[in-house]
Amino acid sequence: TDPALIRNFCIIAHIDHGKSTLADRMLQLTGVVEQRQMRAQYLDRMDIERERGITIKSQAVRLPWAPTTGDGAGTTHVLNMIDTPGHVDFTYEVSRSLAACEGTILLVDAAQGIEAQTLANLYLALENDLTIIPVLNKIDLPAAQPEKYAAELAHIIGCDPSEVLKVSAKTGVGVAELLDKVVAEVPAPVGKADAPARAMIFDSVYDSYRGVVTYVKVVDGKLSRRERIQMMSTGAAHELLEIGVSSPEMTASDGLGVGEVGYLITGVKDVRQSKVGDTVTQLHKGATEPLGGYKDPKPMVFSGLYPLDGSDYPELRDALDKLQLNDAALVYEPETSAALGFGFRVGFLGLLHLDVIRERLEREFGLDLIATAPNVIYRVIMEDGSEHTVTNPSEFPTGKIAEVYEPVVRATVLAPSEFVGAIMELCQSRRGSLLGMDYLSEDRVELRYTLPLAEIVFDFFDQLKSKTRGYASLDYEPTGEQTSELVKVDILLHGDKVDAFSAILHKDKAYAYGVRMAGKLRELIPRQQFEVPIQAAIGSRVIARETVRAIRKDVLAKCYGGDISRKRKLLEKQKEGKKRMKMVGAVEVPQEAFIAALSTD
Ligand code: GDP
Ligand code: MG
C-alpha cells in the first residue's frame, strides 16, 4: 500500500467510555465484519475481558474506508485501528500501541466528562506527538451534557469547542463523519522505503495453534515472507513463516512495507522471545539502530500463591508456565512457607494484573488458591553497605539497617469538587504528599499526589470510590523510590513466626496491624490442649498480644463420651479435619484460619 493512503490511529478513553463499542461500529461501517457475525466487543477476545468489559491485550485491525467528505473524499484509504488496553497496569502496552500510530481519537463519555485515565492517556498521546481528535460519545443518553463536556475537552487540549465531534457508538450517529475526519486529519506515516527494515512490536499474543503472533508496525523498509529476521534487543534470529494483516481475521500476504501494520509468525512459543517495544529487522544487512522505547516489563506488586490442596502444586506450576507464554510481565519463582507449604512468589504489574491472573488460574485451570497479602519491592541498605532486594516480607533482613527504600507513584485523582476534603484526608492517611491541584471546570478538580505504592495496592481504590460515592477516578504511574521509616512486623504463634503474616509497614502503622492480626487470629484459631499465645513483634519487641485458652479437661471428656458409633464418627471427622490442619510449631491451625486472616477486611 502507498503510505500516503495509510492512516494509523487508536482510540484512547477512560474505562467504560465506549472505546470497544466504537471499534465495533467501525468494523461494521467499513464492512469488515458482516452484520450477522457481529457481536458486542468483537475485538475483546479473552473471556475475562468480555465479562468484565475491559480490554487487556490490544489488537490491531485493518479497515478500508473511502471518505465521502473532506480531504481524500472518494479514494479508498487503509485505516489501521489499534485497540489499546485502558487500565493503569498496562500503561506500557498503551504507550507502545500509541507509538505505532500517527493519530488518536480521544473519546469521552458525554454523561461523565473527563476522568483520570482520559488525562493519563492524553499525556501519553502528547508525548508521542500524536494528532488528537477529540470526540464525545454516548450523546444518545438522556443524561448527556455535550455542550458542557465539549467545553471541558476543548479546554484541556486547547482547541475550540466546535471542533469536538459528537457521536453515539451505540446507535452509530456520527461515526462515518469521524472516520472521514481520521482520514483528513491524521498524518500519513513517513519512513524510508529503501532503508533496512525496522518494525516495532506493539503486541505479542500466544496462540495455541500457531505459536506467538507478533503485531508490528513497519517504520522503515520492508519485511517479506520467508525472510530471516532478528529481534534487536536479544539478537535472536527467526524465519518469518507468515506475515499478513488482520482484517480482523488474519490474512497472509507477501510482506509489509513502510507505515503498514500487521502480524508476524515465526514459530516461537513464548511471548518473551517477541517482546513489546522491541525492534524487528532483517538478519542479513539489517538495521543497526533500534527504534526507541524498548523496556522490560517490571513487576511492581508481589504475592505468594499457594494451592489450597498441596498436591495441586505441579498443576499450579504448569498453569503459570502456560500463562507466561502469553504474558511477558508475569514472573514467578518457587517459594516455601512454613504455614502454607509449597507455592510461588509471583510478580505482577499491578493489582488488576494480579486479579486477572488469579482469576484465570482458578477459572481456566480449576485451581483453588490461597494468595498472601500483596506487597511491593523494598530495597534495604545495611549499615555495612550491603544491599538486599526484598520481594517477600518474611525475608526482610535482620541486623543493622541503614535505610529502606520503597517505590512511590504519582497519582492523579479526578472528582467533583465537593469531594476534595474527603480525598485529601484519604491521601494524607496513606502518607501522600500533595503535588498540586487544578480545576478542570468549576465543579471538577484534579488532585496530584505522590503516594507510596504500598499504600495504594491494597484497598485504596475501593476507599476512594466509597468516599466519593463512586465519582472519583484514579490513575498512577511509578516515579521512583523514597526512603521511609519501615519496619517488619512478625506474627508469632506459641513463639513460632508465621511467615505468611509478616508485613512491612511504616512504623506509625505497625502497632495497628499487630493488634488487628492478633485479634483476628484469636478468633480463628481453635482451642488446643495447651494455652497458645499470639504475639505481634518488631524484632524482639512485642507490640501486641492475645491468648487462645487451653481446652478444659471436662470438655474433652464430654467429647469422648457417648456411644461407640458416635465416637467412631467423631474420630473419622477429626482425621479428615487433620488433613486440612497445618502445624505451626506445636500449634494446629486449620487452613481456613490462614485464608480468613489473609482476607482484606
Ligand atoms: P470501553 O471500556 O471504553 O471499551 O467501553 P465499552 O465499549 O465496553 O462500553 C461501556 C458501556 O457503555 C457498555 O455498556 C456499552 O454498551 C455502553 N456504551 C458505549 N457506547 C455507548 C453509546 O454511544 N451510548 C450508550 N447509551 N451506551 C454506550
Ligand atoms: Mg473495551
Side-chain angles (χ1 to χ4, degrees):
T1 315
D2 177 1
L5 295 179
I6 299 176
R7 301 290 182 273
N8 297 316
F9 75 101
C10 56
I11 307 170
I12 56 181
H14 189 75
I15 197 150
D16 280 345
H17 281 204
K19 191 177 50 173
S20 300
T21 309
L22 180 62
D24 285 350
R25 278 302 81 64
M26 291 180 169
L27 292 179
Q28 242 176 347
L29 261 181
T30 56
V32 300
V33 179
E34 284 179 43
Q35 200 83 23
R36 63 194 152 79
Q37 292 176 324
M38 195 67 212
R39 52 173 206 264
Q41 273 112 50
Y42 191 88
L43 297 172
D44 294 350
R45 288 166 200 231
M46 224 190 288
D47 274 355
I48 294 179
E49 294 188 32
R50 299 182 67 84
E51 271 167 38
R52 298 190 170 199
I54 54 173
T55 305
I56 295 165
K57 295 298 283 187
S58 47
Q59 298 281 353
V61 40
R62 184 182 175 106
L63 311 168
W65 184 250
T68 53
T69 61
D71 300 349
T75 312
T76 302
H77 288 69
V78 171
L79 309 189
N80 291 307
M81 174 175 63
I82 293 166
D83 192 17
T84 55
H87 194 275
V88 286
D89 287 4
F90 303 94
T91 300
Y92 181 63
E93 288 194 9
V94 180
S95 82
R96 292 307 85 201
S97 308
L98 294 185
C101 302
E102 283 75 41
T104 183
I105 293 171
L106 180 65
L107 192 68
V108 171
D109 187 326
Q112 302 288 329
I114 290 159
E115 307 261 21
Q117 282 155 42
T118 318
L119 285 184
N121 285 324
L122 172 64
Y123 298 144
L124 285 176
L126 291 172
E127 276 168 28
N128 282 286
D129 286 329
L130 302 190
T131 296
I132 292 161
I133 301 180
V135 178
L136 284 177
N137 186 30
K138 309 198 190 182
I139 53 162
D140 60 291
L141 286 177
Q145 294 178 272
E147 298 318 318
K148 174 178 173 190
Y149 292 127
E152 209 177 89
L153 198 48
H155 173 72
I156 61 160
I157 64 172
C159 67
D160 192 83
S162 64
E163 292 170 52
V164 177
L165 269 188
K166 301 180 180 76
V167 309
S168 166
K170 187 175 171 189
T171 66
V173 166
V175 179
E177 290 81 350
L178 174 55
L179 287 170
D180 287 0
K181 197 158 176 178
V182 168
V183 171
E185 295 200 352
V186 174
V190 283
K192 302 186 198 82
D194 43 13
R198 289 199 297 174
M200 195 204 51
I201 301 179
F202 63 87
D203 200 3
S204 190
V205 184
Y206 176 75
D207 177 300
S208 47
Y209 297 107
R210 330 190 65 171
V212 171
V213 179
T214 301
Y215 290 87
V216 296
K217 178 203 186 178
V218 177
V219 174
D220 292 325
K222 185 173 185 208
L223 287 173
S224 309
R225 190 162 61 97
R226 291 285 156 199
E227 191 170 36
R228 289 188 64 77
I229 56 163
Q230 189 176 32
M231 301 294 168
M232 293 191 75
S233 75
T234 59
H238 306 284
E239 187 183 345
L240 207 49
L241 301 178
E242 187 179 322
I243 187 166
V245 297
S246 42
S247 57
E249 305 311 327
M250 287 193 265
T251 312
S253 70
D254 287 337
L256 293 174
V258 168
E260 289 195 287
V261 169
Y263 71 92
L264 313 175
I265 292 175
T266 61
V268 304
K269 289 282 178 238
D270 182 334
V271 291
R272 286 173 301 172
Q273 292 170 281
S274 197
K275 294 190 243 192
V276 172
D278 205 351
T279 302
V280 181
T281 189
Q282 289 111 350
L283 182 61
H284 184 63
K285 292 192 177 158
T288 49
E289 279 293 306
L291 301 161
Y294 174 71
K295 184 169 97 183
D296 256 325
K298 210 168 97 202
M300 301 293 292
V301 176
F302 290 79
S303 170
L305 291 184
Y306 293 82
L308 203 55
D309 178 346
S311 66
D312 283 344
Y313 177 78
E315 274 106 274
L316 175 57
R317 191 191 48 219
D318 289 350
L320 285 168
D321 286 347
K322 283 216 182 78
L323 289 180
Q324 197 176 46
L325 291 175
N326 200 16
D327 189 344
L330 180 67
V331 295
Y332 53 90
E333 54 182 46
E335 169 180 274
T336 349
S337 153
L340 303 175
F342 292 101
F344 293 91
R345 176 112 317 231
V346 188
F348 305 93
L349 292 174
L351 274 197
L352 177 79
H353 190 212
L354 184 158
D355 254 16
V356 166
I357 295 294
R358 242 176 79 181
E359 204 171 312
R360 293 188 67 186
L361 288 170
E362 296 192 334
R363 196 192 308 203
E364 291 169 33
F365 298 91
L367 293 161
D368 286 319
L369 300 172
I370 307 181
T372 62
N375 62 269
V376 302
I377 275 196
Y378 297 95
R379 211 158 58 83
V380 184
I381 316 287
M382 308 301 284
E383 278 183 0
D384 67 9
S386 63
E387 185 178 321
H388 300 263
T389 301
V390 178
T391 58
N392 180 343
S394 73
E395 287 162 5
F396 198 76
T398 49
K400 289 204 161 39
I401 290 170
E403 244 157 12
V404 185
Y405 287 87
E406 64 175 340
V408 290
V409 300
R410 186 191 136 111
T412 307
V413 179
L414 253 71
S417 39
E418 59 186 291
F419 298 115
V420 165
I423 295 167
M424 286 184 149
E425 211 171 280
L426 175 65
C427 290
Q428 253 142 38
S429 77
R430 299 303 177 98
R431 302 192 278 130
S433 54
L434 183 66
L435 293 171
M437 182 169 137
D438 281 308
Y439 281 83
L440 297 176
S441 54
E442 61 193 39
D443 57 357
R444 189 190 291 271
V445 62
E446 174 193 1
L447 292 130
R448 293 181 302 276
Y449 270 90
T450 297
L451 281 157
L453 178 61
E455 296 283 348
I456 63 173
V457 294
F458 220 45
D459 60 346
F460 181 79
F461 190 56
D462 293 341
Q463 289 288 324
L464 184 65
K465 282 283 181 192
S466 79
K467 286 184 196 310
T468 59
R469 294 207 308 275
Y471 281 115
S473 59
L474 167 74
D475 197 88
Y476 61 85
E477 56 173 352
T479 49
E481 53 179 18
Q482 70 181 20
T483 59
S484 299
E485 294 190 71
L486 299 167
V487 294
K488 178 176 72 150
V489 179
D490 291 312
I491 304 292
L492 295 87
L493 281 187
H494 206 247
D496 291 309
K497 247 180 237 173
V498 187
D499 53 9
F501 295 146
S502 293
I504 297 169
L505 298 154
H506 190 264
K507 68 172 184 19
D508 294 344
K509 296 188 170 187
Y511 176 74
Y513 175 82
V515 169
R516 191 166 52 83
M517 283 303 276
K520 229 178 185 180
L521 285 170
R522 187 183 51 119
E523 311 257 298
L524 292 165
I525 293 173
R527 291 178 163 200
Q528 322 263 322
Q529 312 269 12
F530 47 87
E531 195 175 272
V532 179
I534 303 168
Q535 294 161 308
I538 299 173
S540 56
R541 186 163 57 90
V542 173
I543 56 171
R545 186 191 165 102
E546 296 274 357
T547 306
V548 180
R549 304 232 162 275
I551 302 175
R552 290 200 341 256
K553 284 270 155 39
D554 54 335
V555 178
L556 258 182
K558 218 184 263 164
C559 271
Y560 287 96
D563 67 90
I564 187 82
S565 71
R566 204 183 123 211
K567 199 161 170 183
R568 189 176 302 128
K569 246 188 223 156
L570 201 76
L571 282 174
E572 265 162 29
K573 236 193 185 151
Q574 272 185 345
K575 233 202 229 146
E576 238 172 65
K578 277 259 167 36
K579 275 193 267 171
R580 280 188 227 102
M581 290 288 187
K582 299 272 183 184
M583 293 300 292
V584 179
V587 185
E588 278 189 344
V589 183
Q591 199 157 39
E592 286 78 10
F594 287 114
I595 302 166
L598 287 168
S599 78
T600 50
D601 41 67

